[in-house]
Amino acid sequence: MRSTRIAVSAAMLGALALPVLSATTASASPAPAALTSSCSSQPPLPYEVHTAAVTIRSRATTHSTALGVLYKSHRFSVHKKSGNWLYITDKTTGVKGWVSGTYVYRDVRMCTD
């Protein structure tokens, strides 16, 4: 009885499997419009905090004065970089300063140019 249940389960799983696409099928499909845009005509994407919080500092060092805090998922633009530090402006408060690049990431897009 137990072996019958296993056989039925295996048959059911086989019926749920997705078909495999061949390389010719995938390459013949048209690309979505969002993936075919030119990157040179697009504005730079924002950075986002990916930890609980990151401190905005007066200089690119952990020993400098703290000017503010950005919290998880907060988005901002970067003006310049120095090593692993990013000089930013928090548009919400107007605070300008440095944040560690260790705790933030930049949104990405795929371009064809």
Side-chain angles (χ1 to χ4, degrees):
M1 189 77 126
R2 197 174 233 182
S3 62
T4 305
R5 287 184 183 169
I6 293 172
V8 170
S9 296
M12 290 173 63
L13 287 175
L16 296 175
L18 297 174
V20 178
L21 296 175
S22 69
T24 56
T25 304
S27 63
S29 301
L35 297 179
T36 59
S37 66
S38 170
C39 280
S40 59
S41 64
Q42 299 292 321
L45 291 171
Y47 283 75
E48 185 173 319
V49 177
H50 70 87
T51 188
V54 64
T55 304
I56 303 173
R57 300 204 172 263
S58 60
R59 292 187 320 220
T61 174
T62 57
H63 302 293
S64 64
T65 305
L67 303 174
V69 177
L70 300 177
Y71 294 97
K72 187 171 183 80
S73 301
H74 187 86
R75 291 178 168 215
F76 56 92
S77 297
V78 173
H79 303 293
K80 62 183 174 180
K81 298 178 184 182
S82 177
N84 194 35
W85 288 85
L86 309 170
Y87 187 75
I88 63 114
T89 299
D90 178 10
K91 293 182 180 181
T92 307
T93 62
V95 174
K96 293 181 180 185
W98 294 90
V99 296
S100 172
T102 303
Y103 306 107
V104 300
Y105 66 90
R106 188 172 193 175
D107 283 345
V108 295
R109 68 169 65 101
M110 182 182 286
C111 302
T112 57
D113 62 349

